[in-house]
Amino acid sequence: MSGADRVVVLDRDGTIVVDREYLADPDGLEFLPGAAEGLRRLHRQGYRLVVISNQSGVGRGLFTLERLRQINDRLMQMVGQAGAQLTAIYCCPHRPEEQCDCRKPRAALLHQAARELGFDPHTCIVVGDQSCDVELGQHVGATTVLISADPAPAAAHYVATDLLQAARIIERLDPCT
């Protein structure tokens, strides 16, 4: 895997930060246990970290795109303070019933990220806590890691209890480490 293709695509809520259901305040961002260390490990391994997140609170009128930008800026800051770096954040602001192509599990945002950041989508690793995250990875032929307390969920290549364990799994998969 070339350096350009060392990309981990991460979900936000329930994977990196506590899922607060329609988080509308940047001050509500809080790392999940193991998330900061997991991000730091992945960053130190040379992975570019990209967040792709469904944020239908915008489409539902619960908060604005400007507020979402503030939340994303705060997340970037938190990750930086934790000793890692997010390369980019991509969000779908639409409601599920809009059937847009950018809402996970559809892959438009992942393809956009790949074009803009210069990586092959099937070489990335997709990490998330929902079936839509696993399905996103499956749509592009990527390796998938599900964050779950359930030891035997269907479909994901790997299961981890938190982002730190996911980083350790990814480290074992990487021939460059």
Side-chain angles (χ1 to χ4, degrees):
M1 177 183 319
S2 75
D5 285 335
R6 293 172 56 82
V7 175
V8 175
V9 173
L10 300 146
D11 176 52
R12 188 187 82 185
D13 303 313
T15 300
I16 300 173
V17 297
V18 174
D19 188 346
R20 303 223 187 267
E21 192 169 349
Y22 307 119
L23 174 69
D25 183 352
D27 291 335
L29 286 171
E30 176 186 354
F31 281 126
L32 284 165
E37 187 176 347
L39 292 166
R40 197 168 36 254
R41 282 182 78 117
L42 291 167
H43 178 71
R44 287 183 183 154
Q45 291 172 42
Y47 283 96
R48 292 187 291 163
L49 306 176
V50 177
V51 171
I52 295 180
S53 182
N54 290 338
Q55 293 298 317
S56 68
V58 174
R60 295 172 196 273
L62 301 175
F63 51 93
T64 64
L65 281 172
E66 174 58 22
R67 182 57 104 169
L68 179 59
R69 186 195 59 73
Q70 292 168 0
I71 292 166
N72 290 341
D73 288 349
R74 175 70 182 127
L75 180 61
M76 291 273 220
Q77 180 185 42
M78 287 171 56
V79 171
Q81 290 170 341
Q85 179 182 352
L86 295 179
T87 301
I89 300 174
Y90 295 85
C91 295
C92 168
H94 306 107
R95 295 169 311 183
E97 55 271 16
E98 291 180 66
Q99 299 292 311
C100 63
D101 287 336
C102 62
R103 185 172 177 82
K104 294 184 295 184
R106 292 189 176 114
L109 286 180
L110 181 50
H111 287 296
Q112 178 184 350
R115 278 190 314 276
E116 291 177 0
L117 303 174
F119 68 91
D120 186 340
H122 87 272
T123 64
C124 73
I125 300 168
V126 177
V127 181
D129 68 316
Q130 300 289 323
S131 61
C132 67
D133 301 310
V134 173
E135 291 172 33
L136 170 65
Q138 290 171 337
H139 287 317
V140 299
T143 300
T144 57
V145 181
L146 179 67
I147 305 290
S148 174
D150 182 354
H157 291 101
Y158 301 93
V159 179
T161 56
D162 60 23
L163 193 50
L164 176 56
Q165 187 179 35
R168 289 178 177 144
I169 289 168
I170 292 167
E171 189 173 69
R172 288 194 309 266
L173 298 173
D174 189 347
C176 298
T177 59

